[in-house]
Amino acid sequence: EKAGVVPDTKWKLKNIGKGWVLGETLISGIGQGYFQSTPLQLCLMMAQLANGGYEIKPRIIDDKYALQPVIDAWREEFTNRNRGINIDSPNLKKLYRNPENIKFVLDALYGATNEPMGTSYRSRLTKEYLYAGKTGTSQIRRITEEEREQKLKQKDLPYERRDHALFIAFAPYKNPRYSISVVIEHGGAGSSGAA
């Protein structure tokens, strides 16, 4: 697993040899620009948001029975937290300073999937099984000025020149149990392909 890149002023100066531009703060904040992550990192981020902002350390388990005690312990701790019981567990490391920030992001993920202007609204499921997620598009090449003027659609490009389609989600929205990360290589826009 590669480390990924969350760019900042020092990273850009060291790796690109240029100074930071204010607009890069905005695009980096939504995962664009020089930002890089793997599908596992995206899935882990979504799972950590879904559990309320607590660290998860992914691991490979080859015995289905070895996982059950871990699942039971997490389920009990998060059930208590959702009931308003204050838990100070040495097993849980908070990844946030302000819990309102986590709530804000979770509400936005819900809206992106379940509200009419959301990017994955057309892919939502019925109200019986609500999930929350976000689409994304990973640009794989530099777009020329001529291509911008032509306003080419992804479907009009040769397959190998199309962007990658991304979608990350957790479900169910209340009491989440699953987190996913979908990457479709050369799939175009995340909303039309991956979601």
Side-chain angles (χ1 to χ4, degrees):
E1 185 73 8
K2 292 186 176 186
V5 173
V6 178
D8 61 14
T9 55
K10 291 177 187 173
W11 179 90
K12 186 178 178 192
L13 193 57
K14 178 182 175 187
N15 292 281
I16 309 295
K18 295 181 180 178
W20 192 261
V21 179
L22 183 59
E24 290 173 314
T25 301
L26 296 171
I27 64 172
S28 293
I30 59 170
Q32 293 183 352
Y34 300 109
F35 195 99
Q36 293 181 2
S37 61
T38 66
L40 179 58
Q41 290 164 343
L42 293 171
C43 189
L44 180 60
M45 174 196 65
M46 187 59 68
Q48 291 174 153
L49 283 166
N51 78 19
Y54 294 91
E55 180 179 48
I56 296 172
K57 294 189 179 187
R59 57 196 171 275
I60 296 172
I61 296 177
D62 61 359
D63 178 359
K64 68 178 179 176
Y65 300 105
L67 182 59
Q68 196 58 50
V70 174
I71 292 171
D72 292 342
W74 276 81
R75 193 168 286 149
E76 181 180 347
E77 289 186 43
F78 288 111
T79 300
N80 288 337
R81 184 178 52 81
N82 287 334
R83 288 185 186 143
I85 298 170
N86 186 14
I87 56 171
D88 289 321
S89 170
N91 300 329
L92 297 177
K93 177 183 173 188
K94 288 195 298 188
L95 299 174
Y96 60 86
R97 291 186 191 136
N98 182 348
E100 288 302 310
N101 293 340
I102 299 293
K103 182 180 180 336
F104 178 83
V105 173
L106 294 175
D107 289 346
L109 290 167
Y110 176 87
T113 302
N114 297 289
E115 294 175 3
M117 297 303 287
T119 57
S120 57
Y121 181 72
R122 291 181 302 175
S123 302
R124 74 194 184 290
L125 297 176
T126 66
K127 290 185 178 188
E128 295 171 20
Y129 194 76
L130 293 176
Y131 65 92
K134 182 67 183 92
T135 61
T137 304
S138 178
Q139 185 177 332
I140 62 164
R141 63 184 179 80
R142 188 175 301 266
I143 300 171
T144 66
E145 195 64 40
E146 181 182 327
E147 288 174 323
R148 285 189 199 283
E149 289 174 10
Q150 292 176 356
K151 296 182 181 179
L152 293 174
K153 302 280 185 204
Q154 289 286 317
K155 62 183 173 72
D156 299 330
L157 294 171
Y159 172 79
E160 67 279 355
R161 296 182 68 199
R162 296 177 190 167
D163 295 332
H164 300 325
L166 305 168
F167 183 65
I168 56 176
F170 68 88
Y173 181 70
K174 294 182 179 181
N175 300 315
R177 295 185 62 193
Y178 307 101
S179 173
I180 64 167
S181 173
V182 177
V183 178
I184 300 179
E185 293 182 352
H186 308 291
S191 59
S192 61

CSV table of all heavy atoms in Angstrom, one decimal, residues 119-140:
chain,number,residue,atom,x,y,z
A,119,THR,N,-24.7,14.2,-6.4
A,119,THR,CA,-24.0,13.6,-7.6
A,119,THR,C,-24.3,12.1,-7.7
A,119,THR,O,-24.2,11.6,-8.8
A,119,THR,CB,-22.5,13.8,-7.4
A,119,THR,OG1,-22.0,13.2,-6.2
A,119,THR,CG2,-22.1,15.2,-7.5
A,120,SER,N,-24.7,11.4,-6.6
A,120,SER,CA,-25.1,10.0,-6.8
A,120,SER,C,-26.6,9.7,-6.5
A,120,SER,O,-27.0,8.6,-6.2
A,120,SER,CB,-24.2,9.1,-5.8
A,120,SER,OG,-24.4,9.6,-4.5
A,121,TYR,N,-27.4,10.8,-6.6
A,121,TYR,CA,-28.8,10.7,-6.4
A,121,TYR,C,-29.5,9.6,-7.3
A,121,TYR,O,-30.3,8.9,-6.8
A,121,TYR,CB,-29.5,12.0,-6.6
A,121,TYR,CG,-31.0,12.0,-6.3
A,121,TYR,CD1,-31.5,12.0,-5.0
A,121,TYR,CD2,-31.9,12.1,-7.4
A,121,TYR,CE1,-32.8,12.0,-4.8
A,121,TYR,CE2,-33.2,12.2,-7.1
A,121,TYR,CZ,-33.7,12.1,-5.8
A,121,TYR,OH,-35.1,12.1,-5.6
A,122,ARG,N,-29.1,9.6,-8.5
A,122,ARG,CA,-29.7,8.6,-9.5
A,122,ARG,C,-29.4,7.1,-9.1
A,122,ARG,O,-30.0,6.2,-9.6
A,122,ARG,CB,-29.3,8.9,-10.9
A,122,ARG,CG,-29.9,10.2,-11.4
A,122,ARG,CD,-29.5,10.4,-12.8
A,122,ARG,NE,-28.1,10.5,-12.9
A,122,ARG,CZ,-27.4,10.6,-14.0
A,122,ARG,NH1,-28.0,10.6,-15.2
A,122,ARG,NH2,-26.1,10.6,-14.0
A,123,SER,N,-28.4,6.9,-8.3
A,123,SER,CA,-27.9,5.6,-7.9
A,123,SER,C,-28.4,5.2,-6.5
A,123,SER,O,-28.1,4.1,-6.1
A,123,SER,CB,-26.4,5.5,-7.9
A,123,SER,OG,-25.9,5.9,-9.2
A,124,ARG,N,-29.2,6.0,-5.8
A,124,ARG,CA,-29.6,5.7,-4.5
A,124,ARG,C,-30.5,4.5,-4.5
A,124,ARG,O,-31.1,4.1,-5.5
A,124,ARG,CB,-30.3,6.9,-3.8
A,124,ARG,CG,-31.7,7.2,-4.4
A,124,ARG,CD,-32.2,8.5,-4.0
A,124,ARG,NE,-33.5,8.7,-4.5
A,124,ARG,CZ,-33.9,8.8,-5.7
A,124,ARG,NH1,-33.0,8.8,-6.7
A,124,ARG,NH2,-35.2,9.0,-6.0
A,125,LEU,N,-30.7,3.9,-3.3
A,125,LEU,CA,-31.6,2.8,-3.1
A,125,LEU,C,-32.9,3.4,-2.5
A,125,LEU,O,-33.0,4.5,-2.1
A,125,LEU,CB,-31.0,1.7,-2.3
A,125,LEU,CG,-29.7,1.1,-2.9
A,125,LEU,CD1,-29.1,0.1,-1.9
A,125,LEU,CD2,-30.1,0.4,-4.2
A,126,THR,N,-33.8,2.5,-2.2
A,126,THR,CA,-35.1,2.9,-1.6
A,126,THR,C,-34.8,3.4,-0.2
A,126,THR,O,-33.8,3.2,0.4
A,126,THR,CB,-36.1,1.8,-1.6
A,126,THR,OG1,-35.6,0.8,-0.7
A,126,THR,CG2,-36.3,1.2,-3.0
A,127,LYS,N,-35.9,4.0,0.4
A,127,LYS,CA,-35.8,4.5,1.7
A,127,LYS,C,-35.6,3.4,2.8
A,127,LYS,O,-35.1,3.7,3.9
A,127,LYS,CB,-37.0,5.4,2.1
A,127,LYS,CG,-37.0,6.7,1.3
A,127,LYS,CD,-38.2,7.5,1.8
A,127,LYS,CE,-38.1,8.8,1.0
A,127,LYS,NZ,-39.1,9.8,1.5
A,128,GLU,N,-35.9,2.2,2.4
A,128,GLU,CA,-35.7,1.1,3.3
A,128,GLU,C,-34.2,0.8,3.6
A,128,GLU,O,-33.8,0.3,4.6
A,128,GLU,CB,-36.3,-0.2,2.8
A,128,GLU,CG,-37.8,-0.1,2.7
A,128,GLU,CD,-38.4,-1.2,1.9
A,128,GLU,OE1,-37.8,-2.3,1.8
A,128,GLU,OE2,-39.5,-1.1,1.4
A,129,TYR,N,-33.3,1.1,2.7
A,129,TYR,CA,-31.9,0.9,2.8
A,129,TYR,C,-31.1,2.1,2.4
A,129,TYR,O,-30.6,2.1,1.3
A,129,TYR,CB,-31.5,-0.4,2.0
A,129,TYR,CG,-30.2,-0.9,2.4
A,129,TYR,CD1,-30.0,-1.6,3.5
A,129,TYR,CD2,-29.1,-0.7,1.6
A,129,TYR,CE1,-28.7,-2.1,3.9
A,129,TYR,CE2,-27.8,-1.1,1.9
A,129,TYR,CZ,-27.7,-1.8,3.1
A,129,TYR,OH,-26.4,-2.3,3.5
A,130,LEU,N,-31.1,3.1,3.2
A,130,LEU,CA,-30.3,4.3,2.9
A,130,LEU,C,-28.8,4.1,3.1
A,130,LEU,O,-28.4,3.5,4.1
A,130,LEU,CB,-30.8,5.4,3.8
A,130,LEU,CG,-32.3,5.9,3.6
A,130,LEU,CD1,-32.6,7.0,4.6
A,130,LEU,CD2,-32.5,6.4,2.2
A,131,TYR,N,-28.1,4.7,2.2
A,131,TYR,CA,-26.6,4.8,2.3
A,131,TYR,C,-26.2,6.2,2.0
A,131,TYR,O,-27.0,7.0,1.5
A,131,TYR,CB,-25.9,3.7,1.5
A,131,TYR,CG,-26.1,3.9,0.0
A,131,TYR,CD1,-25.1,4.7,-0.7
A,131,TYR,CD2,-27.1,3.4,-0.8
A,131,TYR,CE1,-25.2,4.8,-2.1
A,131,TYR,CE2,-27.2,3.5,-2.1
A,131,TYR,CZ,-26.3,4.3,-2.8
A,131,TYR,OH,-26.4,4.4,-4.1
A,132,ALA,N,-24.9,6.5,2.3
A,132,ALA,CA,-24.4,7.8,2.1
A,132,ALA,C,-23.1,7.6,1.3
A,132,ALA,O,-22.3,6.7,1.6
A,132,ALA,CB,-24.2,8.6,3.4
A,133,GLY,N,-22.8,8.5,0.3
A,133,GLY,CA,-21.6,8.3,-0.4
A,133,GLY,C,-21.3,9.6,-1.2
A,133,GLY,O,-22.0,10.5,-1.2
A,134,LYS,N,-20.2,9.4,-1.9
A,134,LYS,CA,-19.7,10.5,-2.8
A,134,LYS,C,-19.0,10.0,-4.0
A,134,LYS,O,-18.3,9.0,-4.0
A,134,LYS,CB,-18.7,11.4,-2.0
A,134,LYS,CG,-18.1,12.6,-2.7
A,134,LYS,CD,-19.2,13.6,-2.9
A,134,LYS,CE,-18.7,14.8,-3.8
A,134,LYS,NZ,-18.9,14.7,-5.2
A,135,THR,N,-19.3,10.6,-5.1
A,135,THR,CA,-18.7,10.3,-6.4
A,135,THR,C,-17.4,11.1,-6.6
A,135,THR,O,-17.2,12.1,-5.9
A,135,THR,CB,-19.6,10.6,-7.6
A,135,THR,OG1,-19.9,12.0,-7.5
A,135,THR,CG2,-21.0,9.9,-7.5
A,136,GLY,N,-16.6,10.6,-7.5
A,136,GLY,CA,-15.4,11.3,-7.8
A,136,GLY,C,-14.9,10.9,-9.2
A,136,GLY,O,-15.3,9.9,-9.7
A,137,THR,N,-14.1,11.8,-9.7
A,137,THR,CA,-13.5,11.5,-11.0
A,137,THR,C,-12.0,11.7,-10.9
A,137,THR,O,-11.6,12.8,-10.4
A,137,THR,CB,-14.0,12.4,-12.1
A,137,THR,OG1,-15.5,12.2,-12.1
A,137,THR,CG2,-13.5,12.1,-13.5
A,138,SER,N,-11.2,10.8,-11.3
A,138,SER,CA,-9.7,10.9,-11.2
A,138,SER,C,-9.2,11.2,-12.6
A,138,SER,O,-9.2,10.3,-13.5
A,138,SER,CB,-9.1,9.6,-10.6
A,138,SER,OG,-7.7,9.7,-10.6
A,139,GLN,N,-8.7,12.4,-12.7
A,139,GLN,CA,-8.2,12.8,-14.0
A,139,GLN,C,-6.8,12.1,-14.2
A,139,GLN,O,-6.0,12.1,-13.4
A,139,GLN,CB,-8.0,14.3,-14.1
A,139,GLN,CG,-7.5,14.9,-15.4
A,139,GLN,CD,-7.4,16.4,-15.4
A,139,GLN,OE1,-8.1,17.1,-14.6
A,139,GLN,NE2,-6.5,16.9,-16.2
A,140,ILE,N,-6.6,11.5,-15.4
A,140,ILE,CA,-5.4,10.7,-15.6
A,140,ILE,C,-4.4,11.4,-16.6
A,140,ILE,O,-3.4,10.9,-16.8
A,140,ILE,CB,-5.8,9.3,-16.2
A,140,ILE,CG1,-6.5,9.4,-17.5
A,140,ILE,CG2,-6.7,8.5,-15.2
A,140,ILE,CD1,-6.5,8.1,-18.3
